[in-house]
Amino acid sequence: MLRLLASTCARGLGGRGGSRRLVSRGRARPVAGLCDPSRRLSRQASDAPRNQPPSPEFVARSVGICSMMRLPVQATPEGLDAAFVGVPLDIGTSNRPGARFGPRRIREESVLLRTTNPSTGAVPFQFLRVADLGDVNVNLYNLQDSCRLIRADYQKIVAAGCVPLTLGGDHTITYPILQAIAEKHGPVGLVHVDAHMDMADKALGEKLYHGTPFRRCVDEGLLDCKRVVQIGIRGSSTTLDTYRYSRSQGFRVVLAEDCWLKSLVPLMGEVRQQMGGRPIYISFDIDGLDPAYAPGTGTPEIAGLTPSQALEIIRGCQGLNVVGCDLVEVSPPYDPSGNTALVAANLLFEMLCVLPKVTVA
């Protein structure tokens, strides 16, 4: 029976059975699993067989290791068009911790995802070779060192021509990721969904935490500031300075109030015009959603976006030159139901569906 399941899974995933490997500070280690198509790939991703999440028609959802969408786990980005990557870091948080557990819980909930997006016609696994690259081995005792480790891993991912889709982790992680992205692509446009602008200069004397990533990106010239839009901003603030600063840099700031009770399709039409054909990055903080839909986060704010508006934003990026994405700030201890992580998993799938190589029927 195990041989039958393994052969069925291998056919569904487009690979062969074997031992799984996970990344640990650049070293790979075997991990037991039911089936594993991962192996060193000598062909280009466009010529390689596609990985497919196993169908629940043939493999029970409770079977297999806990990877994103039950995709194969691969030690390196070699041969991949896109990859899911976990960054289990939360020592940059200013309020409730727990986002270090976000990647694991998102992967658990992703078992409910399937391969096709009937709403948009996207079938991403027909066009992309995708795998789960495991987690960055962050240093939970040193935020600066963690950023160094994140940047180093993402430099390798980006250099391999692989588009990273990141499971966070607090929002600090976007800063070193964008350092790696900009190293290859130059300053990028940004679609940033969040309750907060994350444009503070410092707190408690520290210039690096989850409230400062985009200020640091501006400081280092990582963003094409005329192609930055921040959507869903709301909540009380200690000062209006961050609002003024963002707008002074050329950012478009869309308050949550400007999104209430309406479709965001028209807004995203304007955003597509603003972004043009040059590289963009999508950064989605789950607290951009109202806590009624996503309570499992560290800094919730009332009166936020709805999941349907989140879909409109991400689907509105179809046709743009998306070179990376992240979904951050899922804190599972504050949502035992798992619904927040389930929303996050679905949004990451939607991001996969809008990558440039995916042709929509």
Side-chain angles (χ1 to χ4, degrees):
M1 178 60 72
L2 285 176
R3 285 195 299 272
L4 174 62
L5 282 173
S7 63
T8 301
C9 189
R11 288 196 301 273
L13 292 170
R16 302 169 186 164
S19 63
R20 294 185 181 269
R21 304 176 73 80
L22 290 176
V23 175
S24 178
R25 283 207 180 184
R27 300 186 299 274
R29 58 184 178 85
V31 178
L34 174 64
C35 60
D36 179 21
S38 63
R39 58 192 184 276
R40 302 290 292 183
L41 300 172
S42 59
R43 290 176 290 181
Q44 295 296 317
S46 59
D47 300 324
R50 313 293 184 209
N51 296 327
Q52 287 278 348
S55 169
E57 295 179 21
F58 305 107
V59 181
R61 286 195 170 100
S62 57
V63 171
I65 70 166
C66 188
S67 66
M68 186 67 181
M69 297 185 70
R70 296 192 295 169
L71 284 162
V73 176
Q74 189 165 307
T76 74
E78 182 186 359
L80 297 178
D81 297 300
F84 293 102
V85 188
V87 185
L89 182 76
D90 65 359
I91 60 173
T93 54
S94 59
N95 191 37
R96 305 191 305 197
R100 69 182 65 181
F101 305 114
R104 182 174 302 176
R105 192 58 190 268
I106 293 170
R107 287 181 173 113
E108 289 177 2
E109 297 300 333
S110 75
V111 73
L112 284 171
L113 298 176
R114 302 163 186 87
T115 59
T116 302
N117 191 330
S119 298
T120 66
V123 188
F125 299 102
Q126 286 187 2
F127 300 95
L128 303 172
R129 184 168 176 85
V130 189
D132 189 325
L133 290 180
D135 293 332
V136 176
N137 190 15
V138 295
N139 182 349
L140 292 178
Y141 306 114
N142 188 317
L143 187 56
Q144 293 281 357
D145 189 45
S146 286
C147 287
R148 178 187 65 81
L149 293 165
I150 294 165
R151 181 173 62 251
D153 276 6
Y154 277 77
Q155 285 170 333
K156 297 172 185 175
I157 294 168
V158 174
C162 177
V163 177
L165 299 103
T166 302
L167 293 64
D170 75 56
H171 222 153
T172 312
I173 70 174
T174 304
Y175 166 53
I177 293 172
L178 282 173
Q179 286 180 315
I181 294 280
E183 189 175 293
K184 177 174 181 178
H185 298 285
V188 296
L190 177 69
V191 176
H192 171 209
V193 184
D194 204 322
H196 314 98
M197 307 185 80
D198 295 350
M199 286 287 285
D201 185 38
K202 60 185 177 180
L204 302 178
E206 298 294 328
K207 295 179 78 70
L208 186 60
Y209 78 107
H210 75 163
T212 65
F214 300 113
R215 184 68 168 258
R216 300 287 78 83
C217 289
V218 170
D219 291 346
E220 296 184 17
L222 308 180
L223 298 176
D224 181 355
C225 293
K226 300 302 181 184
R227 296 192 305 122
V228 174
V229 60
Q230 298 180 300
I231 305 172
I233 307 301
R234 64 189 190 279
S236 56
S237 179
T238 57
T239 176
L240 292 176
D241 289 349
T242 54
Y243 288 77
R244 297 189 185 106
Y245 182 79
S246 285
R247 291 181 171 123
S248 74
Q249 297 303 306
F251 290 16
R252 179 175 183 178
V253 179
V254 181
L255 302 179
E257 288 87 343
D258 297 326
C259 302
W260 288 349
L261 304 176
K262 66 176 68 171
S263 168
L264 300 188
V265 170
L267 168 66
M268 292 311 297
E270 297 172 5
V271 170
R272 284 194 300 277
Q273 291 292 321
Q274 179 183 358
M275 296 298 162
R278 287 173 290 167
I280 75 155
Y281 186 87
I282 302 172
S283 186
F284 199 115
D285 187 326
I286 200 67
D287 71 24
L289 299 183
D290 190 272
Y293 307 105
T297 192
T299 318
E301 303 284 359
I302 66 167
L305 304 177
T306 67
S308 58
Q309 289 175 317
L311 294 180
E312 288 178 328
I313 293 170
I314 297 173
R315 291 173 182 176
C317 294
Q318 179 72 45
L320 296 179
N321 186 11
V322 180
V323 296
C325 316
D326 65 49
L327 192 295
V328 298
E329 297 285 357
V330 172
S331 182
Y334 295 97
D335 183 9
S337 73
N339 284 344
T340 305
L342 177 62
V343 172
N346 276 271
L347 296 182
L348 282 159
F349 173 68
E350 294 285 340
M351 293 175 188
L352 180 69
C353 290
V354 301
L355 294 188
K357 289 185 179 180
V358 178
T359 300
V360 176

